[in-house]
């Protein structure tokens, strides 16, 4: 506790500044997620406090971030759609998914698995971040021009026939659940169907209309209609917010331009009593835990979203650890990655219980905190308390913020989160993949695949596809490189290694050497398996030099076994030189040593092997 208050003044300023910066973003991310501004505030409050308290990066400020909100938005929309468009009905399932994501992060930290997150290829991260920017940018166009599909009567009316079908299906599902099988009950079902009122149809049609216009594809589909129904006041409010955010940065960066945009535009709209669309009402009381997520827990309803929970956990971990590295560079300190994941997991878990959206370490807020003097965990805790005070004391005022202002803020976030460094590098990346006459860059292919799939399909699966493609391409490159460097030639045909220079001239056509210059793994086994075909049947011996082959996987092991069987069947003696520890262990497990390669055929140096050759291989000339 002594260290916690060692920098009280600096942490106080850092925490207050970071909390102020976090306020408009928390509200905007909450609205964007689909759960409302209060969910963004709850997430910012609880994640910031507990991630700081239990985390491993003292200066890190955590809360809802653009990547986490983009994924959460997809998860939330899917669960709401599966619950007939009812947010209240879907909320327990949504929060359980968020809770599981937090618990997974804790497990990652406790088991030390978090250290492997750094191996995710840059093109995957680049494509994902750019896609998130595109998703946020495009999906905020509709609220920025004041178009809400559920309020467009003509658009909603198009879905009334489909809405009636959905309601009928729900009635049938309900009846089947009640084991209704006889004719009398079936007649009752028909009566219930005939009694469906217009209000129910319109409500369901509104849900379908909102679903149709959701996401990047949905937004682009309804955009022509939205532009015909543009509300110019909302557009001007959003535009003014964007102009102020970018313009004020040119004046000073001491005061957060996002906050200035929020206060100025909202203040003008409220002061002049403009007829704008406000955000949802923000509760002014301390948030209470949603115990329904425990009392209504149903594994069958959660199981389809386990992959989404894992994706949120991994994304939150990557986001947080990248910010931790930035904080280290600024403060010349060293964060504790596993402890940081535990702290983030605890923060996300508690936020979920109280109805908050998940988050991660936030780069901008962390940088602001450090620049303002924050050095210890206290700064993150103070940022959380500032947000709580604002919510408890200013909730009625904050509820009057125009929705278009938050849309404007999110548009600037979407523009800022894109990976321009990766996009600029596209023309300069090496073209290492050939498709017929066309040569392309594997890095660019991966980035574009992730970008496109994330934007128009699914963020979670897009990253999975990107990782698979990146892994396959990496393995191909390593296999090609290993095959290129690993050769099999007679000593007469190749340039000898230094210790091979004294090999007897009369035996150079009878003894072959295989140089392995890299790991023998499933990406390089094809070339190695060709060894037995490359050796003449009248050869006396093959020396396999393994000093530069530190690793062998199971595919490599069985490839080695197959080659040895073929060579020994042809009565060719195989000799190992400089066999490394891990490959030896693998070969001993399946008795390649000593059944195929006895101990006396394993040498620590080429000189020892040469002595054996001199004694046992006779000149055939």
């Amino acid at each position: 506790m002594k260290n916690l208050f060692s920098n009280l003044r600096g942490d106080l300023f850092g925490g207050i500044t970071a909390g102020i910066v976090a306020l408009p973003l928390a509200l905007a991310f909450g609205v964007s997620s689909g759960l409302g501004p209060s969910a963004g505030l709850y997430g910012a409050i609880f994640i910031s406090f507990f991630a700081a308290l239990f985390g491993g990066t003292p200066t890190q400020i955590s809360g809802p971030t653009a990547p986490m909100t983009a994924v959460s938005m997809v998860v939330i929309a899917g669960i709401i759609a599966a619950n007939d468009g009812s947010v209240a009905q879907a909320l327990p399932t949504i929060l359980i998914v968020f809770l599981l994501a937090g618990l997974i992060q804790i497990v990652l930290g406790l088991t030390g698995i978090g250290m492997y997150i750094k191996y995710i290829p840059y093109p995957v991260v680049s494509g994902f971040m750019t896609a998130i920017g595109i998703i946020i940018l495009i999906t905020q166009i509709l609220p920025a021009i004041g178009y809400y599909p559920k309020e467009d009567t003509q658009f909603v009316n198009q879905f009334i026939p489909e809405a009636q079908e959905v309601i009928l299906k729900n009635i049938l599902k309900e009846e089947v659940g009640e084991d209704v099988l006889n004719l009398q009950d079936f007649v009752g079902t028909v009566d219930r169907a005939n009694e469906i009122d217009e209000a129910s149809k319109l409500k369901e049609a509104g849900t379908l209309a909102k679903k149709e216009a959701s996401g990047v594809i949905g937004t682009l589909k309804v955009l022509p209609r939205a532009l015909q129904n543009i509300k110019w006041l909302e557009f001007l409010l959003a535009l003014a917010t964007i102009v102020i955010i970018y313009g004020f940065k040119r004046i000073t960066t001491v005061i957060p331009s996002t906050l200035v945009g929020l206060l100025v535009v909202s203040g003008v709209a409220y002061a002049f009593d403009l007829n704008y669309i406000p955000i949802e009402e923000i509760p002014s009381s301390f948030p209470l835990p949603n115990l329904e997520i425990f009392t209504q827990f149903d594994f069958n309803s959660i199981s389809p979203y386990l992959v989404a929970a894992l994706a949120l956990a991994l994304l939150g971990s990557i986001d947080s650890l990248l910010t931790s590295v930035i904080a280290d560079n600024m403060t010349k300190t060293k964060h504790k990655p596993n402890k940081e994941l535990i702290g983030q997991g605890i923060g996300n878990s508690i936020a979920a219980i109280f109805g908050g959206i998940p988050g991660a370490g936030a780069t901008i807020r962390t940088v602001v905190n450090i620049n303002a003097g924050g050095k210890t965990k206290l700064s993150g805790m103070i940022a959380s308390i500032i947000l709580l005070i604002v919510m408890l004391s200013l909730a009625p005022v904050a509820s009057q913020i125009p929705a278009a202002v938050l849309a404007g803020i999110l548009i600037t976030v979407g523009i800022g989160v894109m990976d321009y460094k990766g996009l600029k590098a596209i023309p300069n990346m090496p073209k290492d993949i050939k498709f017929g006459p066309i040569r392309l860059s594997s890095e660019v292919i991966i980035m574009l695949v992730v970008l496109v799939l994330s934007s128009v399909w699914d963020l979670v699966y897009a990253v999975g596809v990107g990782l698979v493609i990146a892994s396959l391409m990496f393995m191909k490159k390593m296999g090609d490189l290993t095959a290129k460097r690993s050769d099999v030639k007679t000593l007469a045909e190749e340039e000898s290694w230094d210790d091979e220079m004294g090999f007897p001239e009369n035996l150079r056509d009878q003894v072959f050497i295989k140089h392995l210059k890299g790991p023998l793994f499933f990406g390089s086994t094809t070339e190695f398996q060709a060894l037995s075909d490359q050796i003449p049947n009248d050869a006396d011996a093959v020396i396999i030099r393994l000093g530069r082959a530190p690793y062998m996987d199971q595919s490599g092991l069985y490839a080695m076994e197959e080659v040895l069987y073929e060579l020994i069947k042809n009565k060719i003696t195989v000799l190992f030189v400089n066999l490394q520890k891990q490959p030896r262990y693998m070969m001993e497990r399946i008795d390649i040593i000593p059944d195929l390669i006895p101990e006396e055929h394993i040498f620590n140096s080429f000189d020892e092997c040469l002595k054996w050759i001199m004694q046992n291989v006779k000149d055939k000339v």
Side-chain angles (χ1 to χ4, degrees):
M1 291 295 289
K2 183 179 179 181
N3 291 333
L4 190 63
F5 297 100
S6 60
N7 183 50
L8 183 58
R9 180 184 174 85
D11 290 336
L12 185 63
F13 281 115
I16 291 173
T17 308
I20 291 172
V21 171
L23 176 62
L25 294 174
L27 293 171
F29 287 139
V31 171
S32 176
S33 72
L35 291 185
S38 57
L41 272 178
Y42 295 162
I45 290 168
F46 290 104
I47 298 170
S48 179
F49 188 90
F50 290 101
L53 180 61
F54 295 106
T57 312
T59 55
Q60 181 136 282
I61 305 295
S62 302
T65 62
M68 292 294 281
T69 304
V71 177
S72 300
M73 179 173 60
V74 175
V75 174
I76 291 167
I79 297 176
I80 290 176
N83 285 270
D84 301 325
S86 171
V87 177
Q89 187 176 327
L91 189 61
T93 303
I94 293 170
L95 297 182
I96 289 175
V97 172
F98 293 165
L99 175 61
L100 285 175
L103 296 176
I104 291 171
Q105 280 187 299
I106 295 173
V107 172
L108 291 176
L110 290 173
T111 57
I113 296 175
M115 65 178 291
Y116 295 102
I117 291 172
K118 63 184 179 183
Y119 294 113
I120 294 179
Y122 177 79
V124 175
V125 176
S126 176
F128 181 76
M129 294 303 294
T130 301
I132 285 172
I134 292 172
I135 291 169
I136 293 174
L137 186 61
I138 293 178
T139 56
Q140 291 308 306
I141 293 176
L142 298 186
I145 61 177
Y147 181 79
Y148 295 89
K150 290 182 72 172
E151 298 175 5
D152 185 344
T153 304
Q154 289 184 345
F155 183 64
V156 170
N157 286 340
Q158 297 176 18
F159 295 90
I160 288 180
E162 186 179 347
Q164 190 165 356
E165 288 181 18
V166 171
I167 296 172
L168 285 171
K169 286 179 181 177
N170 291 334
I171 291 174
L172 289 173
K173 285 181 182 178
E174 183 181 334
E175 299 290 2
V176 170
E178 296 171 359
D179 295 326
V180 176
L181 297 174
N182 58 61
L183 180 60
Q184 182 178 353
D185 288 328
F186 178 75
V187 172
T189 302
V190 173
D191 291 339
R192 285 183 61 186
N194 292 330
E195 292 173 1
I196 299 174
D197 57 23
E198 289 301 317
S200 299
K201 293 178 186 177
L202 283 173
K203 182 180 178 181
E204 185 62 39
T207 301
L208 293 171
K210 183 179 179 182
K211 182 181 178 182
E212 178 69 15
S214 65
V216 172
I217 300 297
T219 300
L220 295 176
K221 280 182 180 179
V222 301
L223 187 57
R225 184 179 187 86
L227 292 174
Q228 293 174 1
N229 294 274
I230 186 172
K231 290 184 173 66
W232 289 104
L233 174 61
E234 305 296 321
F235 173 70
L236 291 174
L237 291 175
L239 182 62
T241 304
I242 295 169
V243 170
I244 291 174
I245 289 174
Y246 284 121
F248 196 79
K249 287 180 181 178
R250 297 180 177 273
I251 301 173
T252 179
T253 56
V254 175
I255 303 174
S257 62
T258 304
L259 182 67
V260 174
L262 175 72
L263 294 177
V264 171
V265 181
S266 299
V268 170
Y270 183 76
F272 286 91
D273 195 24
L274 300 179
N275 186 27
Y276 61 84
I277 302 171
I279 63 174
E280 296 177 22
E281 185 177 352
I282 300 172
S284 57
S285 58
F286 192 87
L288 299 175
N290 288 269
L291 299 180
E292 296 88 353
I293 65 176
F294 301 109
T295 58
Q296 298 180 16
F297 180 80
D298 179 11
F299 182 78
N300 291 329
S301 64
I302 300 301
S303 55
Y305 306 105
L306 293 178
V307 174
L310 178 61
L312 279 169
L314 292 175
L315 177 60
S317 300
I318 297 167
D319 210 358
S320 299
L321 294 181
L322 288 175
T323 303
S324 296
V325 172
I326 294 171
D328 286 349
N329 292 334
M330 293 183 68
T331 60
K332 309 303 179 188
T333 57
K334 184 69 176 176
H335 73 281
K336 299 175 181 177
N338 290 322
K339 187 176 181 182
E340 180 61 34
L341 295 188
I342 293 172
Q344 293 291 333
I346 292 173
N348 278 316
S349 299
I350 294 176
I353 293 172
F354 283 88
I357 60 174
T363 303
I364 295 175
R365 279 159 268 179
T366 299
V367 171
V368 165
N369 175 44
I370 294 170
N371 289 337
K375 290 183 179 179
T376 76
K377 299 181 175 195
L378 188 61
S379 57
M381 297 160 71
I382 290 173
S384 166
I385 294 170
I386 293 297
L387 289 171
L388 180 62
I389 292 172
V390 169
M391 186 186 74
L392 295 178
S393 59
L394 298 176
V397 176
S399 297
Q400 299 303 313
I401 295 172
V405 170
L406 295 187
I409 291 173
L410 282 171
I411 287 172
T412 64
V413 171
I415 294 171
V417 81
M418 288 191 243
D419 182 33
Y420 297 102
K421 180 180 178 181
L423 292 173
K424 288 178 181 177
I426 289 177
N428 304 317
M429 296 303 293
K431 295 177 174 58
D432 52 355
I433 299 292
K434 188 175 182 181
F435 291 98
I438 303 173
R439 296 191 69 87
L440 300 171
S441 168
S442 60
E443 308 283 322
V444 174
I445 290 173
I446 295 166
M447 186 189 76
L448 293 179
V449 166
V450 174
L451 193 162
V452 173
L453 292 182
S454 296
S455 302
V456 302
W457 182 38
D458 186 282
L459 283 161
V460 177
Y461 293 122
V463 171
V465 171
L467 287 174
V468 170
I469 296 174
S471 299
L472 291 173
M473 287 188 173
F474 172 77
M475 288 182 287
K476 183 183 184 303
K477 287 179 183 178
M478 291 301 100
D480 292 345
L481 182 61
T482 302
K484 184 178 180 180
R485 296 176 60 193
S486 301
D487 41 29
V488 54
K489 298 178 181 178
T490 65
L491 282 169
E493 294 174 322
E494 71 164 8
E495 182 179 345
S496 300
W497 288 5
D498 291 342
D499 56 358
E500 298 168 358
M501 298 299 290
F503 199 88
E505 290 291 336
N506 61 320
L507 298 178
R508 285 180 176 264
D509 291 328
Q510 296 171 234
V511 177
F512 286 72
I513 293 180
K514 172 69 175 178
H515 293 122
L516 281 182
K517 303 174 186 175
L520 185 60
F521 70 112
F522 60 90
S524 62
T525 54
T526 302
E527 289 76 13
F528 181 78
Q529 285 170 320
L531 174 63
S532 56
D533 297 327
Q534 296 169 352
I535 306 297
N537 291 336
D538 60 348
D540 289 306
V542 173
I543 301 171
I544 301 180
R545 304 205 61 173
L546 296 155
R548 299 183 188 178
Y551 174 77
M552 175 186 291
D553 69 359
Q554 193 170 15
S555 298
L557 176 67
Y558 291 127
M560 175 67 77
E561 182 183 43
E562 180 183 326
V563 167
L564 293 177
Y565 270 126
E566 287 298 317
L567 292 174
I568 292 171
K569 184 176 71 174
N570 293 330
K571 298 182 180 179
I572 298 173
T573 302
V574 180
L575 308 173
F576 283 173
V577 177
N578 297 122
L579 178 60
Q580 300 295 298
K581 184 177 180 179
Q582 192 272 346
R584 182 184 183 108
Y585 174 84
M586 293 289 286
M587 285 190 272
E588 286 176 344
R589 297 286 71 78
I590 64 170
D591 295 325
I592 288 178
I593 300 174
D595 291 357
L596 299 180
I597 306 294
E599 287 291 344
E600 57 267 26
H601 287 175
I602 301 174
F603 304 95
N604 293 324
S605 68
F606 188 77
D607 288 340
E608 293 179 10
C609 180
L610 181 58
K611 290 178 183 178
W612 190 95
I613 292 288
M614 298 286 288
Q615 295 171 2
N616 295 277
V617 178
K618 304 301 181 182
D619 187 358
K620 294 182 180 180
V621 180

